[in-house]
Amino acid sequence: MLGLGNPELGVLMLALFVVFIMFGFPIAFTLMALGVFFGYSALGDLVWPLLVQRTYSVMTNDVLISIPLFVFMGYIIERANILDRLFRSLQLAAGPMPGALAIATLATCAIFATATGIIGACVTLMGLLALPAMLRAGYDVKLSTGVICAGGCLGILIPPSVMLILYGATAGVSVVKLYAGALLPGIMLATLYMIYTMVMALLNPSLAPKLPDEERNVPLTKIVWGLATSFLPLAALIFAALGSIVAGLATPSEAAAMGALGALVLAAAYRSLTFTKLKESVYLTARTTAMVCWLFVGSFLFSAVFAYLGGHEPIEQFVKYMDLSPLGFLILAQIIIFILGWPLEWTEIIIIFMPIFLPLLQAFNIDPLFFGLLVALNIQTSFLSPPVAMAPFYLKGVAPAHVSINQIFQGVLPYVFLVILSMVLLYTFPQIGLFLPNYLYP
Amino acid sequence: MERFLFMVDELSTWTGKAFAWCILILTLTTSYEVFSRYMFGMPTSWAFDASYILYGTLFMMAGPYALSRNGHVRGDFLYRAWPPRRQAFMDLVLYILFFFPGMIALAYAGYDFAKMSWVMQEHSAASPDGPPVYHFKTIIPIVGVLMVLQGIVEVIRCVICLRTGAWPQRLHDVEELEKILIDEAEQRKQAEMRKAEVTGIARGDI
């Protein structure tokens, strides 16, 4: 076709995809169509069985089974009325610290987002709950909005997160190792956020005034009771799900199912498990799962045809021609992902663009597990940086009218730098990410 | 015409919602497998096959439902800012150029794929007493046809939008929490503005 060799056709297919993605048509169908067209031109009638085989391999993929289960768990917890309690009890516990409300917000976001894995819900709920509380206490608008956005996004990094399942399925890396690997970097990033916030509150107390005395000197029993009824059950649920995966007691999908069951029990214990809420969670789970898994149907076909055409070769040659060192390549790849994060969402970056990077990793002798951890950190920025930055826009949607989107972006900016700092730390000390997986699965 | 539109919407929605309950069954059966293994020391022989069949059925059957809710992810950083007519025009062209060829191919090739499985009376090879999988494979052509039907409805929506300049209403359904909360906040703000306006008029400010 067009007098082009197969590898050039592959590159053309990729280029067309990048162009068509801009037109806003559902990506799954764009991928499928380009796969069918280019597959037909190269394979003829063989493309039909290929299309069905790839579809069927998504339907029987045992890694992806955990996606609907974790999503379901998230929707149940999201509707379990747990967030109010969690925030109030963490707020009491954080009372004497500098920037207490901001710290409590970060901690609430980190644990709630980890349990639900849903960014929009965490950011909007906290926007209605924590933002008015912080503004009333005289906190700086930028600081208050920054912590909500940054904290709300931690859920896709800290395991058990759906993003790492997608990466595992795309890159053929064990999800168990990814979970073990992402745990410490995730906690490190959350800690960096908290340290930064506390330091800012200490340096400039007008950003985060001290709470009134009656909120700082709460009897210990009240704090402990508050934590025991909100923080503890949720933490136990996450710990049990994650622990059983990492310890090898259950596969990720089994742990996800137990997590979903645990979430149902938890919701029942909080007396918020009504049939309506269950029904809503079930339907939303179906839609979200369909969205993610159809993307896989499209991308499995697309990448099969792309690989058959040998579209990697010109890209590899081009990268080799640039004569990069492994470090140079790593930085280039991360910069590309960072920039892709401006217009695109993480699902698209992981499912569509990862397969293009992966063959190059081998050429540069980079561990796909380690690369995945860097990507997981990097993707955090795609939620925070304009113009698509979902977190600031969700927050703007529920914030009081006087909070402007620019203030939110300014508030988020320091946290974007902290993400980059954590990537540098992870690169310099790879053991932060590799220690646990190497120790547990030598 | 409108009746056809909503009839297909209802069909996709009903199918999607009916099979959405697979998630609950999947949660319970997989949990049962874990209990059975650790509490009774008896792993089940069917749990693995059951899990991917439930998961595969769930997401395939929810495909047309998600389409009827405009739920398939778009790279919409430009699209979002376009006026409805331009969105509709682009969608219309790409539905015809991209969507139908892909889905018709899926239905057509899926039919052969499923037929072969029925002829062979194929059973799962993943476990010793593997259950039959020909029903499961038949889902592919069924979903292909449902997707084509829902696609026709989406094309009609594009045409209506091109004519009237506004996207026609969709069936009411459950929404994501952030959308509900943001919509509520928007309504609150508008209500406050109206109230301020009314008091302003009453006080003679405006």
Side-chain angles (χ1 to χ4, degrees), chain B residues 106-125:
Chain B
L106 190 67
Y108 163 79
Y111 175 76
D112 284 344
F113 185 67
K115 198 170 83 178
M116 193 62 97
S117 182
W118 279 91
V119 169
M120 295 192 314
Q121 290 286 299
E122 188 183 1
H123 283 241
S124 162

Side-chain angles (χ1 to χ4, degrees), chain A residues 23-310:
Chain A
F23 293 145
F25 195 64
I27 294 169
F29 309 135
T30 310
L31 284 166
M32 255 172 106
L34 288 173
V36 168
F37 293 153
F38 281 84
Y40 186 75
S41 79
L43 293 156
D45 282 333
L46 282 177
V47 75
W48 313 126
L50 181 69
L51 167 65
V52 188
Q53 294 286 359
R54 300 309 286 175
T55 309
Y56 192 63
S57 72
V58 180
M59 291 165 69
T60 51
N61 188 309
D62 58 342
V63 176
L64 298 178
I65 296 175
S66 33
I67 289 179
L69 290 165
F70 274 126
V71 168
F72 185 51
M73 170 179 163
Y75 279 122
I76 294 285
I77 292 176
E78 175 192 295
R79 283 164 162 67
N81 296 338
I82 193 171
L83 192 69
D84 298 36
R85 284 168 210 257
L86 185 64
F87 180 58
R88 302 227 188 285
S89 62
L90 284 172
Q91 180 192 336
L92 292 181
M97 292 182 200
L101 278 174
I103 299 296
T105 303
L106 276 172
T108 310
C109 281
I111 189 160
F112 185 75
T114 301
T116 60
I118 304 166
I119 290 152
C122 184
V123 171
T124 45
L125 283 169
M126 287 305 273
L128 291 168
L129 186 69
L131 185 58
M134 283 192 276
L135 295 181
R136 258 199 313 277
Y139 276 47
D140 179 54
V141 174
K142 290 176 202 157
L143 184 75
S144 318
T145 52
V147 289
I148 292 179
C149 291
C153 294
L154 284 170
I156 56 145
L157 170 64
I158 303 177
S161 71
V162 172
M163 177 185 61
L164 295 170
I165 302 175
L166 296 194
Y167 183 83
T170 315
V173 178
S174 137
V175 175
V176 180
K177 283 187 180 176
L178 280 168
Y179 276 0
L183 190 60
L184 290 180
I187 294 174
M188 174 180 77
L189 184 61
T191 316
L192 278 178
Y193 284 172
M194 290 193 193
I195 293 174
Y196 167 81
T197 311
M198 270 197 241
V199 168
M200 289 304 283
L202 278 176
L203 288 181
N204 187 355
S206 69
L207 288 178
K210 278 187 182 167
L211 293 176
D213 276 344
E214 67 268 18
E215 285 190 43
R216 282 197 293 150
N217 299 319
V218 185
L220 192 65
T221 46
K222 202 179 162 195
I223 295 181
V224 171
W225 175 246
L227 289 178
T229 53
S230 65
F231 175 79
L232 216 57
L234 208 52
L237 189 63
I238 298 171
F239 184 78
L242 186 63
S244 58
I245 297 174
V246 172
L249 294 173
T251 63
S253 57
E254 285 169 350
M258 296 296 285
L261 190 67
L264 286 168
V265 172
L266 199 65
Y270 285 113
R271 300 181 192 288
S272 53
L273 185 69
T274 60
F275 183 66
T276 315
K277 283 187 180 176
L278 178 65
K279 207 168 66 179
E280 286 176 356
S281 307
V282 165
Y283 296 161
L284 286 173
T285 303
R287 264 150 56 183
T288 305
T289 309
M291 185 268 276
V292 174
C293 292
W294 277 87
L295 210 50
F296 267 104
V297 170
S299 105
F300 269 35
L301 176 71
F302 186 90
S303 50
V305 172
F306 186 72
Y308 176 82
L309 291 171

